[in-house]
Amino acid sequence: MMRASLLLKLSLRNVFRNRRRSLYALATIAMGAMGLFVFMGFNRGLMNQYRANTIRARWGHGQLYVQGYRGKAHTHPWELWIEGPELVMERLRVLPGVVGLFPRLTVNAMLVAGNQAVAGQGEGIDGVAEARFFDQLNYVEGGDLKDHPSGIVLGQGLADGLGVHIDDEIVLIARDEKAESRRSKAIVTGVFHTGSQEFDSRAFRIPLSVAQTLLGTDRVESISVALSGVESWPAFASAASTALPGLEAVPFDELDKVYYRHAVDWLDAQFGFIRSIILLVVFLGIFNVISMSVMERTAEIGTLRACGDGRLEIGLGHVLEAMALGALGGVVGLLGGWALSVGPLSHGVAMPPAPGITRSFRILIELDIRDALQVLILCTATSALGCLVPVWRATRIPIAEALRHV
């Protein structure tokens, strides 16, 4: 035990014995650690931005449907809509994590403004309740429906197609359960822009009561759910299936496979590849620094072997020294990454629109203690691995040759 403690102390002293060599190694490790830490913070910020946009603009944390309704075509879909939505929501409000419930009803309608007519797919919603949670619609004109009895909010593409603005009148024409045509007048209260061109070109929202009147029903198609956090969904879904077995709970990432899940999977694969490249560069840099260090100390290694020290003991000392350098360089790099995130990058990084998106984003660098620990472990482990080969080679040099090494 005492010998191991002495070996560790000697390894730490060797770190600071040759300051030039140690500073070179520390700079290499710190730059790699800082780049990796900031990159992981950028990745986390981007993923959180994607998730927030998906949850807060459209889906909530998930939605409830009648079992067997979603994902299929139905001759009479209204027969599989949720009956008695108020009673259902009373039972849902007591479930774990629930902070908001939003009944919705999809409306396929023709929107007419003057001489322009455009087909759209909208939703009847509770305007007052949804205005408190769905804050990522990014209104370019006006605002939410709130309590306007005959208001309508439109996606920017749909509004441009109709040529309408705030306070303009629109006529909605839809068919009810009996295939009879019904119409309703609405006043434009807002024009929103989510960034998804396909959604913004057809989407509109009207009060739930207006949608039910147009379709001749008192049911709702789905109930969107807002929870205290994404991590609350599994517990809520389990409780909902027990309390209301006739309903199916579907999370937001399942509802939006194209925009969210596929994009996140693609970005994860891309970031994993980039992270591997960064680690490879850091490893090669450390390997080069450690190799030079070991070459400079070949005579010292020969002297230690001549004094009776074994190859394993010498190798272990160099591994401990490399790990100390890796840990210290990792800490310096983490501090540098933190300084960047609160300094030059405090307002995030402006990003152009992603594929399939028309709105640019500003991605905040979201550093996390788990990422910091991962970077520190990677730096320490990479430093230890980087010294194995040069130390193994140096300890295999005959003692007489090692003593003559310059």
Side-chain angles (χ1 to χ4, degrees):
M1 186 68 179
M2 291 181 62
R3 189 171 181 81
S5 177
L6 179 61
L7 185 62
L8 179 60
K9 289 180 180 180
L10 289 174
S11 299
L12 292 175
R13 285 183 180 180
N14 283 334
V15 170
F16 301 101
R17 189 179 63 178
N18 189 319
R19 295 181 180 179
R20 178 187 60 81
R21 184 175 61 222
S22 295
L23 285 175
Y24 185 33
L26 283 173
T28 302
I29 298 169
M31 290 297 290
M34 182 173 65
L36 185 59
F37 191 38
V38 172
F39 176 75
M40 294 172 77
F42 173 82
N43 184 17
R44 185 177 295 276
L46 179 59
M47 295 301 185
N48 288 343
Q49 179 73 28
Y50 260 73
R51 185 173 63 188
N53 193 60
T54 302
I55 292 173
R56 293 275 183 169
R58 187 175 181 185
W59 300 108
H61 290 92
Q63 293 190 347
L64 295 165
Y65 300 87
V66 171
Q67 288 282 359
Y69 175 75
R70 180 178 169 273
K72 300 178 182 178
H74 302 280
T75 306
H76 303 105
W78 51 86
E79 294 178 354
L80 290 174
W81 289 347
I82 299 173
E83 189 174 5
E86 290 298 331
L87 295 176
V88 172
M89 289 193 294
E90 284 183 12
R91 299 181 66 180
L92 291 172
R93 285 191 180 96
V94 300
L95 298 184
V98 175
V99 297
L101 296 169
F102 316 104
R104 291 179 172 182
L105 181 59
T106 298
V107 181
N108 293 297
M110 183 68 69
L111 289 79
V112 181
N115 296 324
Q116 302 294 325
V118 178
Q121 183 180 67
E123 289 179 317
I125 65 170
D126 182 342
V128 175
E130 296 218 2
R132 292 193 292 265
F133 182 79
F134 294 94
D135 54 7
Q136 295 288 323
L137 281 178
N138 187 36
Y139 282 94
V140 294
E141 292 185 50
D144 293 304
L145 280 175
K146 295 185 179 177
D147 57 353
H148 198 298
S150 59
I152 183 172
V153 295
L154 307 167
Q156 188 173 31
L158 184 58
D160 291 343
L162 290 168
V164 295
H165 299 279
I166 302 302
D167 295 328
D168 288 346
E169 185 177 87
I170 291 177
V171 177
L172 292 93
I173 304 172
R175 293 189 179 276
D176 61 15
E177 300 176 1
K178 300 177 181 178
E180 296 179 354
S181 178
R182 297 194 181 198
R183 62 178 58 207
S184 177
K185 293 182 180 180
I187 304 298
V188 179
T189 63
V191 177
F192 62 81
H193 177 44
T194 64
S196 174
Q197 187 174 6
E198 183 268 338
F199 180 70
D200 292 342
S201 296
R202 61 178 174 80
F204 65 89
R205 290 179 173 177
I206 56 178
L208 180 60
S209 59
V210 175
Q212 290 175 322
T213 300
L214 279 171
L215 299 182
T217 184
D218 58 357
R219 301 186 180 192
V220 298
E221 182 183 22
S222 64
I223 298 175
S224 185
V225 182
L227 301 176
S228 55
V230 177
E231 65 282 352
S232 300
W233 179 261
F236 167 80
S238 176
S241 64
T242 301
L244 297 163
L247 298 184
E248 176 189 14
V250 185
F252 74 94
D253 57 340
E254 180 69 22
L255 292 167
D256 197 1
K257 286 185 178 180
V258 175
Y259 171 67
Y260 180 76
R261 179 180 286 184
H262 290 177
V264 167
D265 289 345
W266 184 83
L267 287 170
D268 271 338
Q270 182 187 51
F271 289 155
F273 179 71
I274 296 174
R275 184 165 55 246
S276 299
I277 294 176
I278 293 175
L279 285 175
L280 179 61
V281 171
V282 172
F283 176 80
L284 292 176
I286 293 171
F287 181 82
N288 183 52
V289 171
I290 298 296
S291 294
M292 290 191 301
S293 173
V294 172
M295 286 181 64
E296 290 177 0
R297 297 168 63 183
T298 300
E300 176 187 326
I301 292 173
T303 302
L304 291 173
R305 289 185 61 199
C307 292
D309 288 354
R311 290 191 178 99
L312 181 61
E313 188 175 8
I314 295 171
L316 182 59
H318 280 79
V319 169
L320 289 174
E321 183 180 338
M323 291 178 67
L325 277 170
L328 185 57
V331 170
V332 174
L334 292 176
L335 292 175
W338 174 80
L340 279 177
S341 69
V342 299
L345 300 178
S346 59
H347 298 294
V349 180
M351 297 293 291
I357 306 299
T358 57
R359 186 178 67 170
S360 59
F361 294 92
R362 180 166 288 276
I363 307 301
L364 297 177
I365 307 299
E366 299 184 16
L367 303 181
D368 188 86
I369 185 64
R370 291 168 295 180
D371 293 338
L373 291 174
Q374 185 178 352
V375 169
L376 194 58
I377 292 171
L378 285 172
C379 287
T380 305
T382 303
S383 299
L385 290 172
C387 81
L388 290 179
V389 174
V391 168
W392 180 83
R393 288 178 176 174
T395 55
R396 290 299 183 275
I397 300 174
I399 294 176
E401 184 180 340
L403 290 172
R404 291 195 301 269
H405 191 275
V406 178

